[in-house]
Amino acid sequence: GALRRDEQDDVFNFDEYAQATWRFTDAWSLTAGVRHSSVRFSSLDHYITTDNPDDSGNVEYTATTPVAGLMFRASDWAHLYASYGQGFETPTFSELSYRADGGPGLAFNLLPSRSHNVEAGIKLQPTDRIRVNAALYRANSRDEIAVAAAANGRTTYQNIGKSRREGAEASLSARLRDDLDLDFAYTLVNATFRSPFQSCGTSGCTTIPAGSRIPGVPKTDLYSSLRWRFAPDWSADINGNYVSSVPVDDGDTDSAPPYFVLGIGVDWTR
């Protein structure tokens, strides 16, 4: 096809952070940190004609994000914790490629998504052979980047009001025998848009209601493996991974079906 774009795109990222841990009693400790992020996108346009002016430009996103966590040592084998942190996620060059209003140049008007995240959990190691972790979490975001329009092979993006990801995680690692290990992991996540917004396609525009699931995020992910060390340097394992249905559009009207993957392997390690 005819040449429509010719540009040099560069992205530069510079981060500084500091972190400290204070164990103020034998049972309690506090970890706190702060990160400053600076991400700069720049585009040098080489496709300049009478009908297409110079669309060169740049944008810089900055943020200072704190995090803090509190750990309680209930015993030598049981630790409880709670944490809070803020997040910062910039658009990608793919999302900046086209402006939602149809104007020339990159979509430098897109804002980064910012989040407030909380988590609480427990870590257990009742014996040298068993470790158990469990956690509950929630992440509330604003200015989530979502599809504004997708038509004729071109996708543009927009910032929407609010979104939320919340759920639970659990894992188990157990040495059943000296030659046999079991691993198990489970994730439950409910990822939804919390603000309504409008998304357009070839058949027109649709209002996406609050509560719709965020596409690409399965609700359930379950993994387990069993590893057997049957000879020096040799081991075999069998593992399975189940993933629930995955929504494929912003309107939560269709989804990819759930699937299960079974794996069998033999390893030699020297």
Side-chain angles (χ1 to χ4, degrees), residues 84 165 207 247:
Y84 167 81
R165 295 162 178 84
T207 297

Side-chain angles (χ1 to χ4, degrees), residues 7-12 38-45 54-61 93 96 104-110:
E7 67 205 40
Q8 177 180 321
D9 295 330
D10 295 286
V11 60
F12 175 79
S38 178
V39 186
R40 179 183 175 86
F41 293 85
S42 61
S43 180
L44 181 61
D45 191 5
D54 187 349
D55 296 320
S56 300
N58 60 79
V59 65
E60 184 173 10
Y61 303 109
F93 256 123
L96 293 170
L106 275 68
F108 287 138
N109 60 322
L110 277 179

Side-chain angles (χ1 to χ4, degrees), residues 69-90:
L70 188 65
M71 174 79 78
F72 172 60
R73 295 169 177 79
S75 67
D76 290 340
W77 58 273
H79 295 176
L80 291 87
Y81 71 92
S83 64
Y84 167 81
Q86 295 180 10
F88 169 72
E89 182 178 358
T90 71

Side-chain angles (χ1 to χ4, degrees), residues 71-81 121-134 171-175:
M71 174 79 78
F72 172 60
R73 295 169 177 79
S75 67
D76 290 340
W77 58 273
H79 295 176
L80 291 87
Y81 71 92
I122 186 170
K123 299 176 181 289
L124 305 174
Q125 189 171 353
T127 72
D128 292 339
R129 291 174 174 262
I130 297 176
R131 294 197 311 272
V132 178
N133 296 331
S171 66
L172 166 69
S173 295
R175 175 152 291 182

